[in-house]
Amino acid sequence: MAPDIDRIWSAGTDVAPSPTDERKNLVKRVLNQKVFVPNLLSLMPAWPTDIYPDIDEVTKVIDEWLPTVNVDEKKKAKHRARGDYPLLTAVYYPHCTKDKMITLIQFLYWIFLFDDEIDTGGDLTDDREGTQRCCDETNKCIDDCLGPNPNYTPPPNSRGTVEMFYPILRDFRASLSPICTERFRVELHEYVNGVGRQQQIRQEDRLPDPWYHLQIRADDVGVVPSITQNEFAMNFELPEYVRRHEAMEAIVLECTKLTVLINELVSMQKEFRVGQLENQVFLFMNKYNISVQGAVDKILDLIRERYQVCIAAEERLPWSKDDGKFNEDIREYVRGCHRLATGTAYWSCACERYFQKGQVNDKMEFLVDLSYE
């Protein structure tokens, strides 16, 4: 990636440091800083947080299913202990039935197991060829299960994350309309390919521009397929012309950006400790020569802005004057978009995937510790 020629790297010089020095200098500025982050839900005040009521019951089912998944036991144990994906599913889809809740939890297990293989610290972190094979095999699974000629049998010797995905997608297809199935298929391809692109960016010599990073994270974070899953969860079909309406496209995009920005804030401690500097906080620090707190404040302002853009877009949706069911389906789809942002914020402060519970107070404010402890 070409260096940013507009960046003034230090007083008295216009010469950018080497890529190694760029990263070292940024680490020095970040190391041992502590930064306070307010309750992120308070930035989206009109959007409530509901929770599926029978989490313990579905968690028991998931705990019986997880040992059957052909993935390394230590990896599964880590995700089970720190992730609490039943809770995340419960805040994403709080009003669905038990059987669908189980499928949705299984999907979130898949998405985190798949992503963590390629993300910093995974088995494929520095293996571009291995990552491409993993993405190719996963894309084949998506086409096998959601394409015109469904096949739910994994190829022999499939990797664990591919093998587990076949029955999950089979269960989704059973309850999705043909139009929604095709949309889901395309969105999953975009997600999988986006994860592969993100790995390549982490291997570039230069740190990426933060605005470019935000753009590609909106593709690889997996929000859009999770929004489509709301139709599966609540058993309705949004007409395609409504989904492609400019206002709905804006809502989907803005809620995706909100979810990405929230994730950047809650994950910065975890990512810094494994040496991953491709986080919006650190990239803003690097581009604008601002402090950690200044970068966090910039992201908080962006969350407020994107929230207002989303609120405004809802007024432009193609509401019906007399079809109450049609309007309720639109409302449910929009609420599903909202819940990807609010649910991510709530869950991140209620589990230990990103930081210890002792770092979060009873107001859901948290203190990020950017040390190597």
Side-chain angles (χ1 to χ4, degrees), residues 118-171:
I118 299 170
D119 206 351
T120 301
D123 291 345
L124 299 175
T125 297
D126 299 313
D127 184 351
R128 284 198 181 188
E129 291 185 2
T131 294
Q132 188 59 56
R133 285 194 299 272
C134 178
C135 291
D136 289 345
E137 292 167 14
T138 305
N139 279 324
K140 181 182 184 304
C141 170
I142 293 166
D143 284 336
D144 280 352
C145 296
L146 303 179
N149 301 302
N151 167 32
Y152 305 119
T153 303
N157 303 314
S158 293
R159 68 183 71 235
T161 55
V162 170
E163 180 183 289
M164 71 182 289
F165 207 23
Y166 274 84
I168 294 171
L169 291 182
R170 177 200 62 205
D171 292 348

Side-chain angles (χ1 to χ4, degrees), residues 228-241:
T228 295
Q229 288 172 3
N230 198 53
E231 294 173 75
F232 168 84
M234 296 303 293
N235 196 32
F236 73 95
E237 179 183 346
L238 190 74
E240 191 67 6
Y241 81 90

Side-chain angles (χ1 to χ4, degrees), residues 21 40 42 55 77 81 84 104 234 239 275 295 310 344:
D21 287 343
L40 297 173
S42 70
I55 299 178
D84 201 348
L104 290 160
M234 296 303 293
C310 191
T344 298

Side-chain angles (χ1 to χ4, degrees), residues 32-77:
N32 294 325
Q33 297 291 312
K34 289 183 171 60
V35 59
F36 174 81
V37 180
N39 181 340
L40 297 173
L41 292 173
S42 70
L43 307 181
M44 303 168 283
W47 299 350
T49 300
D50 298 326
I51 304 177
Y52 178 81
D54 299 319
I55 299 178
D56 291 345
E57 184 178 353
V58 294
T59 299
K60 290 178 183 177
V61 177
I62 293 297
D63 284 345
E64 293 173 357
W65 163 80
L66 194 56
T68 70
V69 173
N70 186 26
V71 172
D72 180 80
E73 294 299 325
K74 290 182 179 179
K75 293 177 183 178
K76 291 190 294 185

